[in-house]
Amino acid sequence: MLSVDEALARVLQAVRVKGRETIHLVRAHGRVLAEDLVARRSQPPLAVSAMDGYAVRAADADRPGAVLRLVGEVPAGRTFHRQLQAGEAVRIFTGAPLPAGADAILIQEHARAEGDRVVVEKPVARGRFVRPEGLDFVAGWVGLRAGSRLDGRLLGLAAAMGHAWLRVRQRPRVALLSTGDELVLPGELPSGSRIIASNAVSLAAFVEAWGGEVIDLGIARDDPADLAHHLTDARGIDFLVTTGGASVGSYDLVQQTARSLGLQLEFWKIAMRPGKPMLFGRLGETIFLGLPGNPVSSAICAIVFLRAALRAAQGLAPELPLKEARLAADLAANDERQDFLRAQFLAAEGGERWVRPATLQDSSMLATFAHADALIVRPAFDPPRRAGEQVRIVELQEVLAA
Ligand code: AMP
Ligand code: MG
């Protein structure tokens, strides 16, 4: 059996970085920037007021009781067109440009207006409450680097820098296909031994969060003709992800049917738990991941392999972010398979994070997985571990978000 690391390296080797496209920034949330972004303007474009008050010459307002002549007003977006003379003040509001000659803002809390006169209550120092031109950023600054994933903050910055259209990586397209005679679509309440197909629901959400675009191919029955028909629907799509039918049962038809359609199998079976029977290959130009049917297996295989592949396809670092935590229970020696144990955080003690593995780790147990905080990642042949020892973990919220 292939180790998880070897399998992951093989998957990543097959991934090509997607091409670029130009899109409007209101549609660019979560996308990856394909080129550096340079500020087309400075912010603020001129020296502006940081407060509501009076634009003054600090030398005229250097003592309580000084009296200034109010000669006009400048709100944000306007300009005061004449030079401020000695003893003059201009009513000014946050974001408005400083009149020429003014060098400080006397905030309104420190002044008293009396008709066309302004009485200084608290003196003001030169430069006070003035935002100089380019305080935030200057034209020509490389504000965003190629390879950044765009969140709301970066998009706001791109807009402020003067960009409305952005060059980004195309989203990798991912076809999801569930397989099994026992499956019904969510919305139906099945009778007898049938169950609701939940895998594709989780996977679709993961794929979206990882920057991919989902094409839902529905459910294929455990029938070679029906399966072949559904598999063919993924032609031209970057990734095809199936769940179920990947092991050695006589109804596990995925590999056999995909082979008949020209599957070039790269590997099948990985030394991991859960997820051992995952298969990986190419079907034409499409990268094919055949995930096991058990919900926890398919989800963890997706977290380990599909997440890495989708990130690589967008030029992002594919590694799982591993962290350390302290074990809250003993663990027996591990066998030849790398283990991903569902676990919960305990209340933090002395700033240290403690994790408790769930007592039952059956790969069908979606409830345990859904309420887990972390996966404890145990190498193959890890010796027995005692409570209190350090282990490596993956935080689920983190890896499911990006
Ligand atoms: P299989 O690999 O097809 O033998 O499936 C393994 C287990 O996963 C079986 O108990 C299936 O019923 C279950 N399973 C397969 N596909 C799904 C799915 N889409 N949603 C939930 N459970 C599934
Ligand atoms: Mg099945």
Side-chain angles (χ1 to χ4, degrees), residues 246-304:
S247 56
V248 289
S250 31
Y251 291 94
D252 292 338
L253 296 168
V254 168
Q255 182 172 166
Q256 180 188 321
T257 309
R259 272 183 192 280
S260 76
L261 296 173
L263 171 74
Q264 284 175 280
L265 186 72
E266 283 269 348
F267 63 75
W268 176 49
K269 288 194 176 168
I270 305 168
M272 75 185 275
R273 179 176 39 248
K276 174 174 143 194
M278 185 181 111
L279 72 82
F280 168 68
R282 287 165 180 285
L283 203 52
E285 291 296 293
T286 301
I287 290 180
F288 181 26
L289 283 174
L291 308 188
N294 275 307
V296 182
S297 309
S298 66
I300 292 180
C301 283
I303 289 169
V304 175

Side-chain angles (χ1 to χ4, degrees), residues 178-179 182-183 195-200 243-247 252 292-295:
S178 309
T179 74
E182 74 279 31
L183 302 178
I195 59 166
I196 298 161
S198 61
N199 291 349
T243 67
S247 56
D252 292 338
N294 275 307

Side-chain angles (χ1 to χ4, degrees), residues 39-57:
R40 301 175 63 194
R41 50 187 297 286
S42 297
Q43 180 100 317
L46 306 162
V48 296
S49 176
M51 299 288 274
D52 294 335
Y54 301 90
V56 299
R57 297 162 22 135

Side-chain angles (χ1 to χ4, degrees), residues 177-180 217 219-233 240 242-245 251-258 260-261 283 288:
L177 176 62
S178 309
T179 74
L217 300 184
I219 300 172
R221 297 303 162 196
D222 292 322
D223 162 72
D226 192 47
L227 188 55
H229 177 80
H230 278 87
L231 290 174
T232 327
D233 286 343
L240 167 58
T242 60
T243 67
Y251 291 94
D252 292 338
L253 296 168
V254 168
Q255 182 172 166
Q256 180 188 321
T257 309
S260 76
L261 296 173
L283 203 52
F288 181 26

